[in-house]
Amino acid sequence: MNLLALSGSLRDGSFNIMALRALQTLAPEGVALVLFEGTGTLPHFNLDVEMHALPDMVADFRRQVAEAAGLVIACPEYAHSIPGTFKNALDWLVGMPDFPGKPVMLINTAPRASHAQAALREVLATMSARLVPEACVTVDLREPDAPERLQAGLAAFLRACAPSAAQAPAPAPLG
Ligand SMILES: Cc1cc2nc3c(=O)[nH]c(=O)nc-3n(C[C@H](O)[C@H](O)[C@H](O)COP(=O)(O)O)c2cc1C
């Protein structure tokens, strides 16, 4: 199974990139978690450009998103919201026909920062992403249980991304 990892931070030494890299090492056999490295070089979103000639970089970004069974997003808080570069990347996905229903796992590496997570959830819900609550984890990378928490979130996410999970019928009512 292929998953695509997106960091909201571009910084060398970013805790969010560190969390995604850690998750790569924790992924079970048969799961490839690829870190998308182009977020910072995507052009500024422009509806005219999207309508007339999608830039190659954006087309490649959309292709990688389309081919992924799910997205793993680790995003910091800037001024109580999502970093502008990351919102720009998400804006390029708003008009992507096969984005709705895309499973998403969120990693929050700053337990005290709640505004960006709330903003991110609002944006993703508006885009009709399928946020997987049991796979959304808050981790302090300095704590010894961080790998365990990341791994548990990933395991829940993989269950939610399995083809059968999307179409599974609702359980019959008891009694
Ligand atoms: C421009 C800027 C604005 C920030 N605003 C907030 C904020 O509003 N709330 C907060 O908790 N942290 C804020 N921070 C701290 C970052 O969220 C924190 O340093 C985080 O670790 C950055 O993610 P990274 O390590 O992946 O780069 C801000 C940092 C920067 C550079």
Side-chain angles (χ1 to χ4, degrees), residues 3 13 21 28 43 52 61 77 97 105-106 112 150 159-160 163 167:
L3 302 177
R21 294 253 182 243
H52 293 112
F61 178 40
E77 178 161 304
M105 168 179 177
L106 293 183
R112 279 180 302 172
L150 285 170
R159 284 194 294 276
Q167 293 115 37

Side-chain angles (χ1 to χ4, degrees), residues 22-172:
L23 203 62
Q24 284 178 317
T25 68
L26 296 167
E29 211 177 310
V31 174
L33 178 63
V34 174
L35 180 62
F36 179 72
E37 312 246 21
T39 308
T41 48
L42 291 170
H44 290 162
F45 178 79
N46 181 330
L47 188 59
D48 292 339
V49 173
E50 182 184 54
M51 307 265 284
H52 293 112
L54 206 62
D56 289 347
M57 234 180 265
V58 175
D60 180 57
F61 178 40
R62 285 189 177 186
R63 182 188 54 74
Q64 291 193 48
V65 170
E67 288 175 2
L71 303 181
V72 181
I73 296 177
C75 184
E77 178 161 304
Y78 280 5
H80 282 189
S81 192
I82 313 167
T85 45
F86 195 62
K87 178 61 164 58
N88 182 60
L90 293 178
D91 284 344
W92 280 115
L93 302 179
V94 170
M96 181 179 154
D98 39 2
F99 188 84
K102 182 66 69 178
V104 174
M105 168 179 177
L106 293 183
I107 299 173
N108 178 15
T109 60
R112 279 180 302 172
S114 58
H115 300 282
Q117 291 299 304
L120 191 51
R121 284 166 185 267
E122 177 67 20
V123 170
L124 290 166
T126 305
M127 294 166 69
S128 300
R130 180 161 70 95
L131 208 57
V132 178
E134 63 274 23
C136 294
V137 290
T138 296
V139 285
D140 183 336
L141 295 180
R142 296 163 303 184
E143 295 295 331
D145 67 347
E148 200 182 311
R149 293 172 77 89
L150 285 170
Q151 199 159 28
L154 180 61
F157 193 51
L158 293 175
R159 284 194 294 276
C161 290
S164 55
Q167 293 115 37

